[in-house]
Amino acid sequence: MDPNATPKGMSRRELYRRMTGPPQEAARRGGGASTSGRATAMRSPTSSRSAGFVKSVEAPPSAAVIALNRMGFGPRAGDIAAFNALGGTDAERMLAYVNQQVAPQFIDDSACDARINAAGFTTLNKSQAQLWLDHVEADVSGSERMRPFYEIERLTFLRGVHSRRQLQEVLADFWHNHFNVYGYDYWCGPLWVHYDRDVIRANIFGNFRQMLGAVAKSPCMLYYLDNYTSSSAGPNENYSRELVELHTLGAENYLGVMRQTDVSLDGDGYPMGYVDDDVFETTRCFTGWTFDFDTGLFEYRVDWHDKWQKNVLGSFIPANQGELQDGNDVLDTLAYHPGTARHIARKLCRRLISDDPPQTVVDTAAAIFHQGRFHEFQLYEVVRTILLSDEFLTTWGEKIKRPFEIAVGTMRATDAQFTFALDEGEFDSFLWQYDQTGQPLFSWRAPNGYPDVREDWQSATPRVMSWRLCNWLLDVEDDSDHHYADVVAQTPGSVRTANEIADFWIDRVLGRSMPAADRPKIVEFMAQGHNPNFDLPLDTDWDTQERLRSMVALICMSPTFLWR
């Protein structure tokens, strides 16, 4: 059956229109055209957060549904029951689950590891130096040069779908966007395994200052923001500006055009914010921070460095300091500033709770961040504080899924069994479909990373293309004519009426009931004008099986599924 054909009765297009209302057209902002041919996200016009947004009218669902959709990419079959078995109350279950997820090294993920090993990846265990030697210095084809990027791209989907360490995957996505690098670049792609493994993932639950230093010395970031050319004779402020405006203090702490000496201090002696001269002085501190194009390793060029005295955020940096000291002093100053604590805490709360997170939880998380600024497991404590806050379970309907979460959540809910290995044709087809949604992995060109608020993902392009992707996921077959997401085989034999089929898959995909206004439409689509309590020939009728696949895809694009 053609997934785009209009079946008898109510079509998918009509049902989707009736459930979601007319799409809002969007203006294209940021990102620009991709020279790789990859789609960029369609983003709605600049407006207030609430413009055009209809908040969920349903009450917050169970703790299991909230936890599995916010700390991960949605439940697989059996996940909600496993969560509920962790304790007698929501507080007990949350405490147990959070404690599991913030210590991923103790979670048995052998099943996912077996899938990774079976995929045939060849670059995941290579050192930074070996990656450069094999994929840059060696005389290889363009696809072989980019193999580390391609393998991390596929590995990210594999882990998102199959790993039990779900919070780790959510936070890896968060930090990749916070320290955004365009990974499809000719010079960044060969080292992408290093950037993902040694820079981002190695520090997810560690110390922010340590992560900040790893990012600053990464050839991927040095190249992406042009610091690899910055010298006293030709300083380049691209990295230093993003270091201050995005990576640490954030634009919320920018005071505009004024003299450094006019900036007021807070009660603890910290400047209340930064000014342009702080960025310029920071640029001078990082002159000479580059990398060796023969080895792909970080290099400090003392002959390129501006050795004279500097002043950043009220901190005096004397002339002629030792190797790297100027830059390290700046990283200390920025990482330990309370403005950085507020900025990072707000972004983490935005990712894990809501687009406009309650100020109470932001303040609490910021205090933990600042108090633990010298601690080895600083970020572990910050994330744990956010997840165990009252606001985490009481805030709902203020966060929607982006295309990556829709794709991975659909694959998890339907037990899709893709082969994620490189050079597998079926996954290339998936990536072609997925990239049209506007969120191709590691491919946002601007340094701010993919947007993380609902208004940027409500427009027609990401919605319609995500809907098409869901239909494709449920309909596509492998070379043996087996569906990757075989929802027909997963439907129990005792479930055969339209009512029963709809309720089984609503519970399976959503983990809860659908709003009273929406459920009858799902049933009506499955029944196609027949009595919804009559048995359907699911075991023998091809059209009925196709309709079931389309029905599950509709549930995966329903407003209820899209909340997180």
Side-chain angles (χ1 to χ4, degrees):
M1 180 178 180
D2 182 353
N4 295 315
T6 302
K8 296 178 181 180
M10 188 188 304
S11 68
R12 285 174 292 182
R13 184 182 301 277
E14 172 63 14
L15 178 56
Y16 183 69
R17 186 192 68 78
R18 288 170 59 178
M19 291 178 68
T20 63
Q24 299 176 26
E25 293 301 326
R28 186 178 293 272
R29 290 189 330 195
S34 170
T35 57
S36 68
R38 293 173 166 239
T40 54
M42 285 291 289
R43 309 215 284 173
S44 56
T46 303
S47 61
S48 65
R49 289 277 165 82
S50 60
F53 173 68
V54 179
K55 184 176 178 178
S56 172
V57 296
E58 63 176 292
S62 68
V65 169
I66 294 175
L68 294 171
N69 279 283
R70 291 224 192 107
M71 296 171 60
F73 298 111
R76 295 176 66 92
D79 281 357
I80 289 179
F83 179 91
N84 289 332
L86 293 175
T89 65
D90 282 348
E92 292 176 353
R93 296 170 192 136
M94 278 297 298
L95 179 61
Y97 191 68
V98 169
N99 285 342
Q100 285 180 7
Q101 289 293 311
V102 296
Q105 68 274 24
F106 299 116
I107 297 176
D108 179 6
D109 215 19
S110 54
C112 182
D113 291 341
R115 290 178 181 271
I116 295 172
N117 293 334
F121 297 128
T122 61
T123 69
L124 302 187
N125 295 319
K126 290 183 179 181
S127 67
Q128 180 181 352
Q130 194 66 45
L131 288 166
W132 192 264
L133 182 65
D134 292 349
H135 302 280
V136 177
E137 289 295 299
D139 184 16
V140 296
S141 65
S143 60
E144 185 62 26
R145 180 187 182 98
M146 295 299 292
R147 179 176 285 268
F149 175 85
Y150 297 144
E151 292 198 354
I152 291 299
E153 182 182 40
R154 286 152 173 77
L155 179 63
T156 300
F157 274 102
L158 191 156
R159 284 170 165 163
V161 174
H162 295 291
S163 177
R164 296 179 63 231
R165 299 165 179 171
Q166 284 284 285
L167 179 62
Q168 178 171 264
E169 296 311 303
V170 168
L171 293 175
D173 174 75
F174 170 85
W175 288 112
H176 262 293
N177 282 285
H178 182 76
F179 293 114
N180 186 59
V181 169
Y182 180 65
Y184 207 68
D185 189 276
Y186 186 73
W187 294 101
C188 297
L191 288 178
W192 205 244
V193 166
H194 158 69
Y195 192 69
D196 178 75
R197 179 192 63 207
D198 304 329
V199 178
I200 300 297
R201 290 177 176 271
N203 295 292
I204 284 175
F205 295 104
N207 179 269
F208 179 75
R209 169 61 181 86
Q210 182 174 330
M211 182 187 286
L212 195 65
V215 171
K217 292 182 179 180
S218 167
C220 291
M221 183 62 75
L222 288 165
Y223 180 82
Y224 174 63
L225 290 180
D226 302 313
N227 206 83
Y228 77 105
T229 65
S230 189
S231 67
S232 57
N236 188 305
E237 73 174 62
N238 285 356
Y239 170 68
S240 59
R241 183 162 295 278
E242 307 309 346
L243 170 65
V244 179
E245 292 188 355
L246 293 176
H247 300 168
T248 56
L249 290 169
E252 66 187 84
N253 288 291
Y254 176 54
L255 299 180
V257 180
M258 59 188 300
R259 294 182 300 181
Q260 289 175 304
T261 53
D262 292 338
V263 176
S264 301
L265 305 181
D266 66 14
D268 295 319
Y270 291 97
M272 296 294 291
Y274 69 93
V275 297
D276 287 328
D277 280 347
D278 290 310
V279 176
F280 303 149
E281 293 287 271
T282 295
T283 300
R284 296 176 59 209
C285 291
F286 285 99
T287 50
W289 286 49
T290 184
F291 66 95
D292 187 334
F293 271 80
D294 291 329
T295 65
L297 301 177
F298 174 78
E299 180 181 22
Y300 176 69
R301 291 286 302 270
V302 66
D303 55 318
W304 286 12
H305 185 66
D306 182 334
K307 63 182 180 180
W308 306 113
Q309 66 186 37
K310 309 166 188 77
N311 187 301
V312 178
L313 287 168
S315 295
F316 176 74
I317 298 175
N320 297 305
Q321 291 204 106
E323 183 176 341
L324 301 177
Q325 193 60 47
D326 289 3
N328 283 325
D329 284 351
V330 171
L331 293 178
D332 289 345
T333 297
L334 292 170
Y336 303 150
H337 194 285
T340 295
R342 291 190 297 271
H343 176 58
I344 303 300
R346 193 180 314 281
K347 287 193 68 173
L348 281 167
C349 289
R350 182 177 297 131
R351 172 92 295 252
L352 297 170
I353 296 180
S354 69
D355 288 355
D356 293 299
Q359 191 61 43
T360 51
V361 68
V362 173
D363 290 343
T364 301
I368 296 297
F369 186 103
H370 189 62
Q371 292 166 12
R373 59 193 181 277
F374 305 117
H375 296 172
E376 181 181 2
F377 300 110
Q378 172 196 19
L379 295 175
Y380 164 97
E381 293 292 350
V382 173
V383 170
R384 190 173 180 275
T385 296
I386 295 170
L387 297 176
L388 293 176
S389 68
D390 292 339
E391 293 85 349
F392 183 81
L393 289 184
T394 58
T395 305
W396 186 253
E398 297 180 9
K399 199 80 190 166
I400 61 174
K401 294 177 181 176
R402 298 179 294 183
F404 180 72
E405 292 139 20
I406 294 171
V408 173
T410 297
M411 296 169 86
R412 287 176 61 81
T414 59
D415 195 28
Q417 298 295 323
F418 274 84
T419 300
F420 289 89
L422 194 64
D423 302 327
E424 288 288 341
E426 65 269 16
F427 196 65
D428 288 342
S429 297
F430 166 82
L431 283 175
W432 185 88
Q433 294 277 349
Y434 170 77
D435 284 357
Q436 308 311 307
T437 66
Q439 198 189 3
L441 290 184
F442 315 122
S443 296
W444 184 255
R445 286 184 174 273
N448 57 346
Y450 280 109
D452 193 19
V453 293
R454 56 186 176 251
E455 66 201 29
D456 290 306
W457 300 101
Q458 288 179 265
S459 60
T461 295
R463 278 288 177 267
V464 171
M465 299 312 293
S466 293
W467 182 32
R468 291 184 63 181
L469 175 65
C470 288
N471 285 325
W472 184 86
L473 281 169
L474 271 296
D475 199 57
V476 70
E477 299 173 320
D478 62 18
D479 293 337
S480 302
D481 297 326
H482 297 134
H483 283 84
Y484 290 109
D486 196 347
V487 296
V488 175
Q490 294 176 61
T491 304
S494 59
V495 174
R496 286 297 178 267
T497 72
N499 271 318
E500 292 169 343
I501 292 171
D503 286 340
F504 173 82
W505 280 104
I506 286 171
D507 181 71
R508 169 74 173 270
V509 173
L510 304 179
R512 62 196 188 281
S513 61
M514 204 173 236
D518 291 342
R519 179 191 173 277
K521 300 168 188 174
I522 297 294
V523 175
E524 182 181 352
F525 176 83
M526 192 66 214
Q528 290 290 288
H530 299 289
N531 187 322
N533 292 316
F534 284 173
D535 280 358
L536 296 174
L538 187 60
D539 301 310
T540 58
D541 185 68
W542 184 74
D543 284 339
T544 303
Q545 294 173 356
E546 286 294 287
R547 196 157 68 247
L548 168 59
R549 296 185 185 101
S550 297
M551 184 207 72
V552 175
L554 281 168
I555 296 171
C556 291
M557 277 305 294
S558 68
T560 307
F561 179 78
L562 296 181
W563 298 120
R564 58 167 296 275

